[in-house]
């Protein structure tokens, strides 16, 4: 019901001309770059989104869009193209970015920018923000105590509470070692059923591998950026040396594996409270040219290149909702998302993305 309401509102915005008016206003306001933030690619409406967006926006890689935004020089090929530049980004590097998103990019000539986490590429582990749901689902123990919190897993609702506890504990860890130690301990105590095989529904939620990244890189439609070595929330890391390592080493590894410079960085989770001035300074010192947040907004030549704004997009959204959000009508819809009768529909999607 709630998603239906959002689609109805987005339809109203679109078919009354409000979306078109908002796009026109954005063009008139001067140089702007819209950056959309996706994560997974399969199981939703990605193709419908792309067909709409490429019709009404000039879709560019992040590097190309930022070069144009800050230099003021437009590619002569697009001299008469008045559409607003738009960047499609995917965070984390899920395997379905290779199996599906790269195919869409190639078939429809749409550049994507994907932010990779080398630690997960090399380990093949499940991303930490998916561990809570996976562990609670696969636990065979009837009772478990984690950090002095006891869960009776035979009771109604206990597994959901356990999933949230694991997610919170991993999220607020003050080091990667602390986070991984906790997850290992939890896994042992929960007596998990065997890890799902490739036919399990979790398979597409693993990280892509280096061979897949290199193949996409050579294809010409995918631009890569850095997303830390292990995806800690950087402002929670108490050791400045570890924080700087997560940022700088990620760039070094990606450049070594891909064979060319990596210019952009995406902050894990990415709201202001997850970043902070020391983190931004570390990104600058690591040699990146720009960095993206998850703070809502459009980008102008006056935007801080190390605090670029993005608009959240989900593949399960109707294309009309994405049309409204990309046009700058996100604020109204976002407030509706947090009304009680809508909020629960977005909880699982945000948890998938480590938010």
């Amino acid at each position: 019901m709630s998603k239906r309401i959002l689609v109805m509102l987005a339809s109203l915005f679109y078919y009354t001309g409000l979306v078109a008016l908002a796009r026109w206003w954005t063009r008139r306001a001067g140089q702007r770059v819209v950056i959309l933030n996706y994560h997974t690619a399969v199981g939703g409406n990605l193709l419908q989104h792309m067909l709409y967006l490429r019709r009404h926006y000039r879709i560019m890689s992040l590097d190309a869009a930022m070069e144009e935004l800050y230099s003021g020089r437009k590619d002569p090929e697009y001299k008469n193209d008045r559409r607003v530049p738009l960047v499609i980004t995917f965070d984390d590097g899920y395997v379905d970015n290779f199996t599906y998103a790269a195919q869409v990019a190639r078939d429809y000539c749409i550049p994507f920018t994907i932010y990779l986490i080398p630690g997960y590429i090399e380990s093949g582990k499940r991303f930490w923000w998916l561990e809570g749901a996976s562990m609670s689902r696969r636990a065979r123990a009837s009772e478990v105590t984690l950090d002095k919190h006891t869960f009776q897993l035979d009771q109604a609702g206990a597994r959901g509470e356990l999933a949230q506890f694991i997610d919170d504990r991993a999220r607020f860890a003050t080091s990667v070692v602390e986070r991984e130690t906790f997850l290992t301990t939890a896994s042992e105590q929960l007596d998990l059923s065997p890890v799902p095989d490739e036919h399990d529904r979790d398979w597409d939620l693993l990280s892509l591998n280096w061979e897949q990244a290199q193949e996409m890189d050579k294809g010409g439609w995918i631009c890569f950026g850095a997303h830390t070595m292990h995806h800690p929330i950087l402002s929670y890391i108490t050791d400045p040396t570890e924080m700087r390592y997560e940022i700088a080493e990620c760039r070094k590894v990606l450049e070594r594996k891909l064979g060319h410079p990596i210019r952009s960085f995406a902050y894990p989770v990415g709201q202001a409270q997850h970043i902070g001035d020391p983190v931004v300074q570390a990104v600058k010192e690591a040699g990146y040219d720009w960095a993206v947040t998850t703070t809502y907004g459009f980008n102008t030549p006056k935007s801080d290149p190390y605090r670029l704004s993005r608009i959240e997009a989900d593949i399960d959204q109707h294309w009309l909702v994405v049309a409204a959000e990309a046009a700058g009508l996100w604020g109204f819809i976002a407030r509706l998302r947090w009304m009680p009768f809508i909020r629960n529909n977005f909880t699982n999607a945000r948890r998938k993305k480590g938010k």
Side-chain angles (χ1 to χ4, degrees), residues 141-258:
S142 59
E143 178 180 313
V144 65
T145 299
L146 298 173
D147 289 355
K148 301 180 180 180
H149 291 76
T150 300
F151 300 89
Q152 302 288 343
L153 298 183
D154 294 333
Q155 295 181 0
R159 289 180 183 264
E161 293 173 3
L162 173 64
Q164 188 61 58
F165 178 81
I166 293 173
D167 184 83
D168 290 343
R169 184 67 178 78
R171 183 180 303 271
F172 293 103
T174 59
S175 72
V176 172
V177 170
E178 176 190 322
R179 184 187 76 199
E180 296 305 311
T181 299
F182 166 76
L183 291 175
T184 299
T185 300
S187 176
E188 293 171 351
Q189 294 187 20
L190 288 167
D191 185 25
L192 301 180
S193 61
V195 176
D197 62 21
E198 65 181 41
H199 300 294
D200 188 274
R201 60 181 175 175
D202 283 344
W203 186 77
D204 272 346
L205 298 180
L206 297 176
S207 172
L208 51 77
N209 60 40
W210 286 122
E211 291 74 18
Q212 292 166 334
Q214 290 162 353
E215 181 178 333
M216 286 192 288
D217 193 56
K218 294 175 183 177
W221 291 105
I222 305 297
C223 174
F224 288 110
H227 201 31
T228 71
M229 282 297 297
H230 303 97
H231 202 285
I233 299 179
L234 293 168
S235 64
Y236 299 161
I237 300 299
T238 54
D239 183 351
T241 300
E242 179 180 2
M243 179 268 288
R244 290 192 292 268
Y245 169 84
E246 285 288 327
I247 294 168
E249 186 66 14
C250 183
R251 183 176 186 229
K252 293 176 183 177
V253 171
L254 290 174
E255 290 184 341
R256 184 170 66 250
K257 290 290 187 177
L258 299 176

Side-chain angles (χ1 to χ4, degrees), residues 35 66 70 265 267 270-281 283-284 289-300 302-310:
I35 307 177
M66 292 304 104
Y70 289 113
F265 181 82
Y267 301 101
Q271 290 291 302
Q273 66 269 28
H274 307 124
I275 303 173
D277 293 339
V279 173
V280 173
Q281 184 60 33
V283 172
K284 294 178 182 179
D289 293 316
W290 26 74
V292 294
T293 69
T294 57
T295 302
Y296 168 78
F298 291 171
N299 299 284
T300 75
K302 294 183 179 180
S303 297
D304 183 341
Y306 293 96
R307 298 179 189 267
L308 295 170
S309 298
R310 290 191 289 179

Side-chain angles (χ1 to χ4, degrees), residues 11-29:
S11 299
L12 179 65
F13 294 159
Y14 185 84
Y15 291 110
T16 59
L18 188 56
V19 169
L21 179 62
R23 290 200 312 266
W24 174 84
W25 181 263
T26 301
R27 291 197 303 269
R28 296 278 295 181

